[in-house]
Amino acid sequence: ADPSGDGSRGSDGAPPPTPFQLQSGALATPTKPILPWQYPEAFSNYSSPQGPTFNPMENCVFKSVLSFTLGGAMGGVMGGIFGGHNSDFMLNPRWEFMNTRQQMWLSWVQMRNQGRSMAWNFGMVGLVYSGVECIVEKERGAQDLYNPLLAGCASGAILGASGGPMAAATGCAGFAGFSVLIDWYMYHSADDE
């Protein structure tokens, strides 16, 4: 019987078994499961027998896909908002002769198209930038202001390459400057707190 009455010690006063001892079969399986809040000392130094756990945020592919998804969602929302305020469709000569339902449908089509376009653009920017920054950070083995500089330049050049060498150079300079500025601001605002 348990002398303390709370189930924390056996009849011999020994500490509870660790989860690894229970999983490996080194001890007989108890009738009641061991819960972490009942025996915090048994779970405090426990690590998985399979090795270190997988952190998805250290995987460049995962970070890139996540940035593509979140950037696409943000671009879709912004495109829908800005597309609804765009008045280009009102220049249609038939606009004055359309009823309210037709005008609303044309507005919806404009919002949808603008949302899709901005979702794709924001998603691609997130995909390229986060992927390049992750690769640069892993290759350099450091986390400093050179990573956003290199990642911004490479991303701007890749995204602007379809416009020719001048657009690629402008994209490189613009993205690099903006990335360093944002990273520098975030780094210094974290130091102030």
Side-chain angles (χ1 to χ4, degrees):
D2 182 7
S4 64
D6 64 354
S8 62
R9 301 251 177 210
S11 59
D12 58 354
T18 65
F20 181 72
Q21 289 172 328
L22 293 174
Q23 286 179 353
S24 66
L27 301 172
T29 305
T31 55
K32 290 172 39 177
I34 294 179
L35 303 173
W37 56 86
Q38 290 175 327
Y39 309 108
E41 67 276 356
F43 287 83
S44 61
N45 295 325
Y46 176 67
S47 63
S48 173
Q50 289 84 18
T53 58
F54 173 71
N55 183 3
M57 291 308 289
E58 293 178 4
N59 185 336
C60 292
V61 174
F62 179 81
K63 283 172 85 170
S64 298
V65 170
L66 181 66
S67 294
F68 177 78
T69 305
L70 295 178
M74 187 175 88
V77 169
M78 289 180 64
I81 291 170
F82 295 137
H85 296 291
N86 191 354
S87 61
D88 291 344
F89 56 88
M90 291 183 188
L91 300 176
N92 188 337
R94 294 181 294 167
W95 177 261
E96 296 174 15
F97 304 109
M98 292 180 177
N99 61 26
T100 304
R101 184 174 181 214
Q102 291 170 329
Q103 289 177 354
M104 288 181 67
W105 176 254
L106 193 59
S107 299
W108 163 251
V109 169
Q110 178 70 21
M111 285 174 55
R112 184 187 65 198
N113 292 342
Q114 187 74 18
R116 282 182 182 168
S117 174
M118 286 187 80
W120 179 256
N121 291 336
F122 274 59
M124 287 307 293
V125 167
L127 176 85
V128 172
Y129 180 81
S130 66
V132 170
E133 185 183 31
C134 182
I135 291 169
V136 166
E137 185 178 320
K138 286 191 182 289
E139 286 299 316
R140 290 190 63 238
Q143 192 171 8
D144 53 13
L145 284 179
Y146 290 112
N147 292 343
L149 176 76
L150 295 170
C153 181
S155 300
I158 290 169
L159 293 170
S162 62
M166 189 63 171
T170 305
C172 171
F175 250 85
F178 184 72
S179 300
V180 168
L181 182 69
I182 293 295
D183 222 61
W184 179 82
Y185 174 76
M186 296 296 282
Y187 177 74
H188 284 292
S189 67
D191 287 346
D192 293 341
E193 293 177 1

